Amino acid sequence: MTKYDAIVIGAGHNGLITSSYLAKAGKKVLVVDGRTHAGGCASTKVIANGFHISDCAQWVHQLDGAIVKDLSLEMHGLRLGKSKRTLALQANGDHLTIDGDSLSGAGINASDKKAYKEFKSQMRAFAKLMLKLYRTRAPKLVESDRGDKMTLLSLGLGLKMMGRKNRQDMMRLVLINIYDVMNEHFDHDGLKAAVALDAITGTNMGPRSPNTVFTYIHRMVGEALGNRGVAQVMGGMGSLGGALLSSAKTHGVEVRLGEAVTRIIKTDDRVTGVELSSGDVLEATAVVSSADPTTTYRDLLGYRNIEAGQARRVEQYRTRSGTGKLHLALSGLPSFTGVSPEDHSQRLIIAPSMDAMETGLNPIKYKELTSQHVFDISIPSIEDPTLAPAGQHVLTALVHYVPYELKTGWEGVREQLLESLLVQLEVYAPGIRTLIVASEILVPEDFEVSHGVTGGNWHHGELSIDQALMMRPFPGSTQYTGSVEGLYLCGAGSHPGGSLMGLAGKNAAEEILKQGVLS
């Protein structure tokens, strides 16, 4: 029987990144995934004949350029589009344009323009400090590890260099909600809502929820990594997955797609391998899971193989998402009122006000549909015509405040939700309904089934301060090390968290190599 140095569960972006770095270090690595295509949430599918959509992740805005370079992803076919401006659509057709640190339109006043530059400068300073933590394992505060001490020393120096005001503001702001911070800084309701949207994307939270300043800083780490706004992957998100797969194979990684891991095998007091859906049993010195922590511990390892206290932590780990997706195949380019033809290729958002966002959130707390959604819209076929037949287009939208679970269940309700979303869209894009060739609405439950993410959460767990940094995903399973010897985590459920960043995968590989367990 072949024994591997490491078996990586899941061919998502973090799993492939971990496997590539381990293989580059000379280790014998196997990646196994039940899906037939690599990439995880970086995936593309056909919605209708000739129409291709990114069916989970929509934008790239946090991908670490160092990983792109280390793994030669551009040589393997990765191409990113141009950085997008954000157009915050207003009902009167006079829209707010956000271009880097600059604002225009929608009657934005000089005071808000100045305040926005100052706000972004401060948030960027916070994000640069956060990046120090994100590029390494999160340090534990109660142990005397030398590496952790050096990380804490670097963090302390960064805080000192930040200046007194920024240091005080970071301590004050990081645990509070984005609603209060927006009202403290700005007058314009559209601007407040546009910033708040970036704080709640992919979460189950509203602007008034605690931790939303932290989630905004998490998103701003993308700018600290050198990304200016969001961008699309040319060819669809699946091209990122394809580039990562090609790179991994070039580095000697063995990949088995279409075969799911059904069980992580524990022998005596350590993990020794996995069992596949085919019945094959494979041995490894280390099993590295890029699946979310709940799937890893509850479904694959099993609670009987971990301590009762750890099982309780897994059960209490918050994973529910409040984000769905709308996919439309269109016979022509839709016309958003007040948006120039060239600006239809930019990021279009619909978030009228923070109070409207809170109103949209409230029903999903009680497992009910809301009639007020928040949209983050892309028409990627404008910049990349290969995604649709000539003269036709695809539209994808992240839709916020879609419940994971309904009291009535989702059977027969998706059509009702789709109709509600189209009614809301037509306020800004009259006649879009007449262009629809095919449509699809995905709710969090669908992502759980299609992409294997518990709760439909692409962050692999709520990104809040008690489930972040040295607490991610939960005590007893931090710093990429599982609660059983021989088991490691490398997915978005480990530090530093979700989005197509890749640092969780890179950091996990570095930690495994540092520990010397594969020697």
Side-chain angles (χ1 to χ4, degrees):
M1 179 184 294
T2 301
K3 182 174 181 179
Y4 297 91
D5 291 318
I7 294 175
V8 177
I9 301 173
H13 74 289
N14 278 312
L16 290 170
I17 288 168
T18 296
S19 67
S20 291
Y21 278 102
L22 292 178
K24 283 182 69 175
K27 307 306 177 185
K28 184 176 180 61
V29 184
L30 170 69
V31 175
V32 184
D33 197 306
R35 287 164 58 91
T36 56
H37 300 285
C41 288
S43 56
T44 303
K45 75 175 184 181
V46 176
I47 187 177
N49 188 28
F51 294 89
H52 303 266
I53 52 95
S54 298
D55 62 330
C56 189
Q58 178 168 292
W59 300 116
V60 168
H61 56 89
Q62 289 182 305
L63 186 60
D64 185 4
I67 294 173
V68 173
K69 182 178 179 180
D70 286 349
L71 303 185
S72 304
L73 295 184
E74 291 180 349
M75 186 183 76
H76 290 282
L78 176 64
R79 291 190 302 123
L80 299 182
K82 297 177 181 178
S83 295
K84 308 286 187 185
R85 298 185 298 279
T86 293
L87 273 68
L89 304 184
Q90 309 298 303
N92 64 3
D94 183 12
H95 307 309
L96 174 66
T97 298
I98 304 173
D99 187 4
D101 293 354
S102 299
L103 304 173
S104 61
I108 196 79
N109 61 38
S111 175
D112 271 351
K113 290 180 180 180
K114 181 175 183 292
Y116 185 68
K117 288 181 183 292
E118 293 171 350
F119 171 77
K120 285 295 294 289
S121 177
Q122 185 176 64
M123 291 296 119
R124 198 173 290 115
F126 295 168
K128 286 180 179 178
L129 181 67
M130 193 76 77
L131 185 57
K132 290 179 180 288
L133 283 172
Y134 278 22
R135 284 198 181 279
T136 185
R137 75 178 197 180
K140 292 182 179 179
L141 303 179
V142 295
E143 296 184 9
S144 56
D145 180 87
R146 184 175 181 275
D148 286 356
K149 286 182 177 179
M150 293 302 295
T151 300
L152 289 169
L153 181 63
S154 175
L155 184 64
L157 181 60
L159 274 168
K160 183 175 179 63
M161 297 296 291
M162 188 184 288
R164 183 175 181 179
K165 184 180 186 305
N166 277 349
R167 186 165 60 249
Q168 290 176 337
D169 279 351
M170 187 170 189
M171 296 299 100
R172 177 176 67 90
L173 297 176
V174 72
L175 296 180
I176 66 174
N177 63 70
I178 200 73
Y179 187 97
D180 290 342
V181 175
M182 291 298 93
N183 285 329
E184 181 181 317
H185 283 79
F186 309 123
D187 297 321
H188 195 285
D189 284 342
L191 174 58
K192 295 175 188 177
V195 175
L197 170 59
D198 284 343
I200 61 93
T201 293
T203 73
N204 201 24
M205 298 187 284
R208 289 183 183 270
S209 301
N211 297 300
T212 42
V213 173
F214 175 76
T215 53
Y216 182 78
I217 296 171
H218 173 81
R219 185 181 177 94
M220 281 291 296
V221 168
E223 293 198 20
L225 285 165
N227 300 294
R228 187 180 185 273
V230 301
Q232 68 184 68
V233 176
M234 305 302 283
M237 275 292 176
S239 296
L240 172 57
L244 286 165
L245 176 64
S246 176
S247 176
K249 288 182 174 180
T250 298
H251 289 109
V253 176
E254 182 182 342
V255 181
R256 293 173 67 167
L257 300 176
E259 291 188 75
V261 171
T262 57
R263 182 167 66 101
I264 295 173
I265 299 170
K266 181 184 177 187
T267 304
D268 297 325
D269 60 351
R270 65 167 290 119
V271 164
T272 56
V274 300
E275 182 177 348
L276 305 184
S277 54
S278 62
D280 288 352
V281 174
L282 306 174
E283 293 184 2
T285 303
V287 172
V288 189
S289 178
S290 70
D292 67 80
T294 303
T295 297
T296 300
Y297 284 109
R298 183 190 66 192
D299 301 337
L300 299 181
L301 183 59
Y303 287 156
R304 68 185 182 280
N305 288 313
I306 59 177
E307 295 179 354
Q310 187 74 340
R312 281 196 297 273
R313 293 186 188 106
V314 177
E315 283 296 304
Q316 292 164 0
Y317 184 62
R318 299 185 303 279
T319 61
R320 289 193 175 188
S321 171
T323 301
K325 277 200 81 183
L326 173 66
H327 299 144
L328 299 178
L330 303 170
S331 61
L333 182 65
S335 178
F336 283 81
T337 303
V339 178
S340 66
E342 59 271 18
D343 277 349
H344 277 73
S345 66
Q346 303 303 308
R347 180 194 184 209
L348 311 177
I349 66 172
I350 300 174
S353 70
M354 293 194 296
D355 287 336
M357 294 168 73
E358 283 293 325
T359 300
L361 169 69
N362 286 333
I364 77 170
K365 298 176 185 176
Y366 308 102
K367 303 179 182 179
E368 298 172 350
L369 282 181
T370 181
S371 59
Q372 286 189 274
H373 295 89
V374 177
F375 296 77
D376 186 339
I377 301 166
S378 169
I379 309 177
S381 49
I382 298 176
E383 187 175 9
D384 184 359
T386 67
L387 298 176
Q392 302 185 68
H393 291 278
V394 288
L395 179 151
T396 70
L398 299 173
V399 181
H400 302 288
Y401 306 132
V402 177
Y404 167 76
E405 184 180 2
L406 282 179
K407 287 179 182 177
T408 59
W410 278 105
E411 186 69 31
V413 182
R414 284 176 173 79
E415 294 78 8
Q416 178 185 339
L417 175 58
L418 175 61
E419 176 61 24
S420 174
L421 297 180
L422 292 177
V423 168
Q424 293 169 73
L425 265 184
E426 283 196 305
V427 172
Y428 299 87
I432 191 171
R433 187 190 298 265
T434 65
L435 301 175
I436 296 175
V437 174
S439 62
E440 179 181 54
I441 179 69
L442 298 177
V443 302
E445 180 182 85
D446 296 322
F447 293 122
E448 184 173 71
V449 173
S450 63
H451 289 77
V453 287
T454 303
N457 193 314
W458 64 65
H459 290 304
H460 285 195
E462 185 178 295
L463 193 65
S464 55
I465 201 68
D466 65 321
Q467 293 188 171
L469 305 175
M470 62 285 295
M471 300 289 285
R472 191 162 184 87
F474 34 72
S477 192
T478 58
Q479 296 187 327
Y480 313 104
T481 303
S483 59
V484 180
E485 187 178 350
L487 177 64
Y488 296 86
L489 303 180
C490 71
S494 52
H495 171 75
S499 196
L500 296 175
M501 185 184 302
L503 286 175
K506 181 175 186 286
N507 291 350
E510 290 176 346
E511 181 64 19
I512 293 166
L513 293 170
K514 176 185 171 184
Q515 290 184 12
V517 295
L518 305 184
S519 300

